[in-house]
Amino acid sequence: MGVRSKVKRPAVFLDRDGTLIEQFDEITDFSQMRILRGVPEGIRLLNKSRFLVIVVTNQPVIGKGLVTKKKVDEMHMALSAQLKEEGAFIDAFYVCPHRYGENCACRKPNLGLIEAAIQEHGIDVPSSFFVGDDMRDIETGRRAKMKTILVETGNAGRDTRYFNVQPDEVAHDLVAAAESIIRVRE
């Protein structure tokens, strides 16, 4: 087991569906995952700038019994491998398996998964970002006291009925979000 560095690193937390891959109801197989244009480039930019890249995703398909947690983990390994072929690396995936309304601590916008990632990776929260296509993601980032970027992919923030928050910034896609994050850091 390696020794974790005491130096905290900033992270970019990314939503999965609609941010990294095409929005699709109830993904139960890797064949349904289509990486959005520019995602490998955006992740590469973040990797080169020494950000941890962490995916945080609600996957109620597990709670509904449509797929197992193991299968979702396998899909994430396949997604990671596909991105790695393009020189893009995801440091970790955090998954909430619960259905809406189960009142768990890990389902976004709750912070259970974020807090676990912060603890496990020694993350510099004030220098970190949350990027997603839903206002739920923006609310999650706000609650975690991170800078937030709404990408205009997937749902493009149309869930304002449930979450009436404003992102710190809006970006066309993950490449534009990564470029903005790097500019802020410089």
Side-chain angles (χ1 to χ4, degrees):
M1 197 183 277
V3 177
R4 188 171 49 156
S5 170
K6 293 184 185 208
V7 175
K8 292 187 176 204
R9 283 180 58 194
V12 177
F13 289 86
L14 301 171
D15 172 54
R16 189 189 82 174
D17 301 359
T19 302
L20 297 180
I21 62 173
E22 288 180 11
Q23 191 72 36
F24 187 85
D25 278 349
E26 301 186 333
I27 294 175
T28 58
D29 190 76
F30 181 70
S31 65
Q32 297 169 301
M33 296 176 113
R34 296 196 180 31
I35 296 173
L36 290 168
R37 189 170 51 88
V39 164
E41 179 184 351
I43 293 173
R44 276 194 311 269
L45 289 169
L46 297 170
N47 295 149
K48 287 178 186 174
S49 292
R50 306 216 10 92
F51 280 95
L52 291 167
V53 177
I54 298 175
V55 176
V56 178
T57 182
N58 291 341
Q59 291 303 313
V61 291
I62 298 169
K64 292 177 182 178
L66 301 176
V67 68
T68 63
K69 171 79 165 75
K70 182 179 180 197
K71 176 73 173 187
V72 169
D73 291 343
E74 290 168 358
M75 291 188 306
H76 288 161
M77 288 188 327
L79 177 61
S80 250
Q82 188 174 352
L83 288 165
K84 189 175 181 180
E85 287 175 10
E86 299 191 48
F89 301 92
I90 293 175
D91 293 287
F93 286 86
Y94 287 83
V95 177
C96 171
H98 303 104
R99 295 167 64 165
Y100 178 77
E102 287 189 45
N103 297 322
C104 68
C106 60
R107 184 175 174 82
K108 293 182 296 181
N110 295 326
L111 298 179
L113 298 177
I114 302 288
E115 290 166 351
I118 290 167
Q119 183 70 26
E120 291 173 24
H121 297 279
I123 293 171
D124 174 6
V125 176
S127 299
S128 295
F129 294 79
F130 202 106
V131 179
D133 69 310
D134 278 330
M135 290 306 186
R136 172 185 308 274
D137 302 317
I138 302 309
E139 175 67 18
T140 305
R142 287 263 180 239
R143 288 183 184 185
K145 301 194 180 349
M146 294 178 196
K147 294 165 207 74
T148 59
I149 300 178
L150 177 71
V151 288
E152 295 177 317
T153 54
N155 288 325
R158 289 186 285 269
D159 60 330
T160 56
R161 177 178 172 201
Y162 303 105
F163 301 98
N164 189 15
V165 293
Q166 290 297 312
D168 292 308
E169 188 173 333
V170 176
H172 177 68
D173 58 14
L174 189 58
V175 174
E179 289 170 344
S180 177
I181 289 166
I182 292 164
R183 275 193 307 274
V184 167
R185 187 169 188 203
E186 291 174 345

